[in-house]
Amino acid sequence: MEAISKKIKSSNLKVTPQRIAIYKALYETKSHPTAEMLYNDLKDNYPTMSIATVYKTLTAFKKAKLIQELNLNDSSFHYDINTDFHSHLICTCCKSIFDYDFSVFSEISEKIENETGFCVEHTQLYFYGKCGECQKQGNN
Amino acid sequence: MEAISKKIKSSNLKVTPQRIAIYKALYETKSHPTAEMLYNDLKDNYPTMSIATVYKTLTAFKKAKLIQELNLNDSSFHYDINTDFHSHLICTCCKSIFDYDFSVFSEISEKIENETGFCVEHTQLYFYGKCGECQKQGNN
DNA sequence: ATGCCTGCAAAGAATTTGCAGCTGT
DNA sequence: ACAGCTGCAAATTCTTTGCAGGCAT
């Protein structure tokens, strides 16, 4: 709790119950939720929470680089508390999103810079397919 | 021209002037345009072309795998006639989008499958940063 | 002849904005 | 005290849909 407040404060953002709740929800889930999902999760415990606040908070967190935004082939953005370099495996069947650590990142970025002169600052690497579970169950 | 008609027909889509025009526009540009950009490019030569037709055509082409849709950190989808495996370098400064061929793809997919059991079918690999030109000019 | 396609306008969905009041620092 | 935050509602933006007429096969 204290740690979350510090994180938020150190980005020059005011610490409010809503912001703590949103940060905490993202911190405690692996599901990479959308704004709507977060709102639905939180509104029971925070009856006055509005969807606009969720959007505004996510935008503020994103600008402060406390979180990252994922653009999957989906109608809404998803959010990830993990801003370290990693990629995402997205199951087209059950819609689960898995983190995948990618050790060769710096090599790839360097290769791109050497070959093209393009300086890589941030990546979004999405792998779409079927997770083990869905393959096992023969789902489509 | 003939080749485009064949491509469209072989996907069991009817060949219309609008579809040829949209396919041709995508084929002849490197700019990975949005629906809106395509519409603006085409409406002078096709005065009755509607934005709805552009969207419907792009959706049909996408389903037929004639094109691919890009989800950049942007308000609109971009479209790419190249459906072969490749990644995209996106300049956060001038907004240019460059294709980048990525020879190590099959290795990476195989690695993911071996390590996680996730079966990769399609990827979207985006590298955000600054292009050589913008670096040279000191742009932000 | 038939079913698919077009183009208009209206609807829909996700996100943003304006603003008045409130809260954190 | 003041700047920044919240929450409501309205606005905006992008995309989709319904439908009537038209065109490709």
Side-chain angles (χ1 to χ4, degrees), chain A residues 14-33:
Chain A
K14 287 199 174 166
V15 178
T16 69
Q18 293 87 340
R19 288 178 171 185
I20 292 173
I22 291 167
Y23 193 98
K24 197 160 175 286
L26 280 168
Y27 192 80
E28 289 175 351
T29 184
K30 289 179 176 175
S31 74
H32 306 78

Side-chain angles (χ1 to χ4, degrees), chain B residues 14 16 18-19 48 50 53 56:
Chain B
K14 288 200 173 164
T16 67
Q18 293 87 340
R19 289 179 171 185
T48 73
S50 82
T53 297
K56 285 172 185 168

Side-chain angles (χ1 to χ4, degrees), chain A residues 5-48:
Chain A
S5 295
K6 264 186 198 165
K7 270 258 178 194
I8 296 172
K9 201 175 292 181
S10 68
S11 298
N12 292 314
L13 296 170
K14 287 199 174 166
V15 178
T16 69
Q18 293 87 340
R19 288 178 171 185
I20 292 173
I22 291 167
Y23 193 98
K24 197 160 175 286
L26 280 168
Y27 192 80
E28 289 175 351
T29 184
K30 289 179 176 175
S31 74
H32 306 78
T34 63
E36 193 83 32
M37 289 168 175
L38 285 165
Y39 174 67
N40 286 330
D41 280 0
L42 294 170
K43 68 181 175 191
D44 290 340
N45 292 320
Y46 298 82
T48 72

Side-chain angles (χ1 to χ4, degrees), chain B residues 78-89:
Chain B
H78 291 250
Y79 294 90
D80 189 344
I81 197 92
N82 182 358
T83 57
D84 295 342
F85 173 76
H86 66 290
S87 59
H88 291 96
L89 315 182

